[in-house]
Amino acid sequence: MFSPGGANTKQASRSLEHAFNDFSISQVAKVLGKTEDAQTYTQRAGNFVNLWNPNITVPGGPGVIGMMQPRFANGTFNFTDPRHCSVHDPAKATCFLNAANRDGFYESSPIVYSQYAPQDTAKLIELQGGLDKFISRLDFIFDQDYFDSTDEPSQQIPFMYHYANRPGLSTQRSRQIIAQSFNTSINGLPGNDDSGAMGSYAAFYLSGLYPLPATQQFLLSSPYFQQISFFNPVLNTTTKIVAENFNGNPPDGTGGRVFIQARFPCPLSSVLIAESSELELSERGCERTTLQV
């Protein structure tokens, strides 16, 4: 139901993060041929569903139903206002690690953490009522300023439209985040770099890629450059991505000839990008008809 141990704080966010950690362990176990360990940790990775309370609603969020919540060992739920630790938190409560924080979440809101299950987004979409409601929830997060560019828990959210067959919306949102929250000044990062987290996040966005942690997969978007190359000193190989029809980047991140077409029609992800890949760009986003997981 929850992850025991440690301070009596951040029980919900810690449980969600530990579930993803278990998924990561399962992937290593598979590579090492430890089948039993892989099965054990794959099962544990599904524990995030135990925090899902389908009866929680968000004030001002019509249609946003269901939320991650703290849960007691006896199976009953505690309640944390979904707006906690956001710009709309009516209590303006602390969301950092201290003895007074008993509401179960650390450095982000239940609204944001309710999107955190990178190991099984298909199940998350099911919990949230299907593709259309999933998209509406993502839009609500951005339109009502619950997305927080200053901290890591929000980082994958702009690219989550991929899983709902709308990668063009991922491209649009991710470019808006770069335009609004990052710049080349001394204070150009919106938050603590945290050992390179913010800087590498921006670098991948500018490259048109979002790396899915603990996998070999990338969610694909369009690069900010006509051509970009990656050199791997271990394998002594260079991967080059060329953007055909490249026409620059809209300064506000909205619109433009930035949507991928042709060879990668409505891409979800690429397990291994070829040594040389060409992306054709257009001014119109596209949709997938099926979700590939």
Side-chain angles (χ1 to χ4, degrees):
M1 296 294 186
F2 68 103
S3 292
N8 188 24
T9 63
K10 58 180 182 180
Q11 301 92 332
S13 56
R14 184 174 62 216
S15 295
L16 292 169
E17 291 170 357
H18 283 191
F20 172 71
N21 292 343
D22 288 334
F23 169 77
S24 302
I25 294 171
S26 76
Q27 300 307 292
V28 174
K30 288 179 181 178
V31 172
L32 296 177
K34 297 182 178 295
T35 304
E36 185 175 343
D37 289 342
Q39 292 174 345
T40 296
Y41 284 98
T42 295
Q43 183 177 5
R44 284 169 55 112
N47 284 342
F48 73 92
V49 301
N50 295 324
L51 298 183
W52 185 258
N53 187 336
N55 302 313
I56 301 298
T57 58
V58 183
V64 179
I65 302 173
M67 202 69 55
M68 298 295 180
Q69 290 283 282
R71 197 167 187 179
F72 295 110
N74 64 8
T76 61
F77 283 101
N78 200 354
F79 173 75
T80 297
D81 190 318
R83 300 168 295 178
H84 165 71
C85 192
S86 77
V87 295
H88 302 300
D89 186 349
K92 300 187 183 303
T94 177
C95 56
F96 298 101
L97 183 60
N98 59 60
N101 182 353
R102 300 296 177 88
D103 25 45
F105 292 87
Y106 181 57
E107 293 195 8
S108 200
S109 67
I111 291 175
V112 165
Y113 265 108
S114 291
Q115 301 307 112
Y116 188 78
Q119 69 273 31
D120 195 351
T121 306
K123 181 62 178 180
L124 190 64
I125 291 173
E126 178 186 328
L127 292 173
Q128 296 184 359
L131 297 180
D132 290 340
K133 290 185 177 180
F134 184 73
I135 292 173
S136 294
R137 184 183 289 245
L138 293 176
D139 288 342
F140 171 77
I141 290 171
F142 286 106
D143 296 343
Q144 299 301 317
D145 296 324
Y146 285 103
F147 175 80
D148 181 6
S149 64
T150 71
D151 216 341
E152 288 89 343
S154 288
Q155 285 188 339
Q156 187 174 320
I157 292 178
F159 267 85
M160 294 187 79
Y161 291 97
H162 272 65
Y163 294 100
N165 306 335
R166 298 296 303 276
L169 293 178
S170 295
T171 295
Q172 196 72 101
R173 293 292 191 188
S174 62
R175 284 175 167 267
Q176 289 169 344
I177 296 305
I178 290 293
Q180 295 166 8
S181 302
F182 293 80
N183 60 69
T184 56
S185 71
I186 294 176
N187 297 316
L189 297 177
N192 187 338
D193 196 27
D194 276 356
S195 301
M198 285 288 166
S200 60
Y201 178 64
F204 274 113
Y205 267 37
L206 294 173
S207 302
L209 300 169
Y210 186 85
L212 294 178
T215 76
Q216 292 180 301
Q217 295 182 320
F218 294 85
L219 301 183
L220 301 181
S221 183
S222 57
Y224 276 60
F225 314 97
Q226 187 169 7
Q227 179 176 308
I228 186 168
S229 298
F230 302 90
F231 175 68
N232 187 324
V234 176
L235 300 178
N236 194 31
T237 59
T238 298
T239 297
K240 180 172 66 176
I241 299 176
V242 179
E244 297 180 356
N245 301 325
F246 181 80
N247 193 32
N249 305 292
D252 63 354
T254 301
R257 188 182 296 168
V258 298
F259 301 102
I260 300 176
Q261 302 293 324
R263 293 180 180 85
F264 294 94
C266 309
L268 174 67
S269 63
S270 175
V271 176
L272 292 173
I273 297 177
E275 289 189 6
S276 181
S277 299
E278 296 182 358
L279 311 177
E280 182 176 338
L281 306 182
S282 78
E283 296 181 359
R284 181 176 180 274
C286 58
E287 300 181 15
R288 293 186 63 90
T289 56
T290 60
L291 178 65
Q292 298 178 2
V293 182

